[in-house]
């Protein structure tokens, strides 16, 4: 299911654990914190009017260990697990963005 970006942020409780699909470009890889072994990707989509929409994607793939690189454009299939504020070292404005668990993906480029 594809859900509008603002809807994911405004009505988050309605979409928690809902199967979602987004197409986004990987900006950078971010490792989890001290007690978090997960790998995260900061991803971005750009709308027709030039507005950038950011997502945090947690890599929860089980069988696929294909390396994901910065600049890759992916169709991501996963589930919404919340939102998070992007650290200032990644983006100056520190927006709150949807956080998705990536179960699998297709490389679109």
């Amino acid at each position: 299911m594809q859900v509008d970006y603002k809807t994911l942020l405004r009505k988050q409780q309605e979409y928690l654990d809902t199967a979602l699909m987004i197409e986004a470009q990987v900006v950078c890889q971010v490792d989890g914190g001290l007690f978090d072994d997960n790998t995260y990707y900061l991803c971005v989509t750009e709308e027709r009017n030039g507005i950038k929409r950011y997502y945090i994607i947690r890599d929860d793939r089980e069988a696929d260990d294909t390396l994901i690189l910065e600049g890759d454009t992916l169709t991501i299939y996963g589930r919404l697990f919340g939102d998070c504020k992007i650290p200032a070292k990644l983006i100056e404005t520190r927006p709150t963005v949807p956080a998705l668990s990536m179960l699998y993906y297709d490389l679109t480029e």
Side-chain angles (χ1 to χ4, degrees):
M1 164 189 303
Q2 288 185 314
V3 179
D4 177 67
Y5 184 84
K6 288 182 180 180
T7 303
L8 284 179
L9 289 172
R10 289 187 177 133
K11 298 180 179 181
Q12 186 181 118
Q13 293 300 319
E14 291 180 28
Y15 293 99
L16 286 177
D17 290 327
T18 299
L20 299 172
M21 178 187 80
I22 65 164
E23 186 172 318
Q25 183 177 33
V26 177
V27 175
C28 67
Q29 177 180 324
V30 181
D31 292 324
L34 183 61
F35 299 105
D36 184 356
D37 292 334
N38 292 305
T39 299
Y40 298 86
Y41 299 96
L42 174 61
C43 294
V44 66
T45 62
E46 191 165 339
E47 295 184 358
R48 282 180 249 132
N49 56 7
I51 295 174
K52 292 183 179 182
R53 304 291 190 199
Y54 291 94
Y55 296 86
I56 289 291
I57 308 296
R58 183 178 65 204
D59 193 345
D60 286 339
R61 298 174 293 159
E62 289 184 18
D64 186 358
D65 60 353
T66 304
L67 184 62
I68 296 174
L69 303 172
E70 292 179 13
D72 283 349
T73 300
L74 310 174
T75 301
I76 299 163
Y77 304 92
R79 298 188 181 281
L80 182 70
F81 70 88
D83 63 24
C84 68
K85 189 170 280 293
I86 296 178
K89 66 182 179 183
L90 297 178
I91 297 178
E92 289 180 24
T93 59
R94 300 193 64 205
T96 298
V97 301
L100 280 77
S101 167
M102 176 173 55
L103 303 175
Y104 59 97
Y105 75 96
D106 291 324
L107 187 62
T108 56
E109 276 191 3

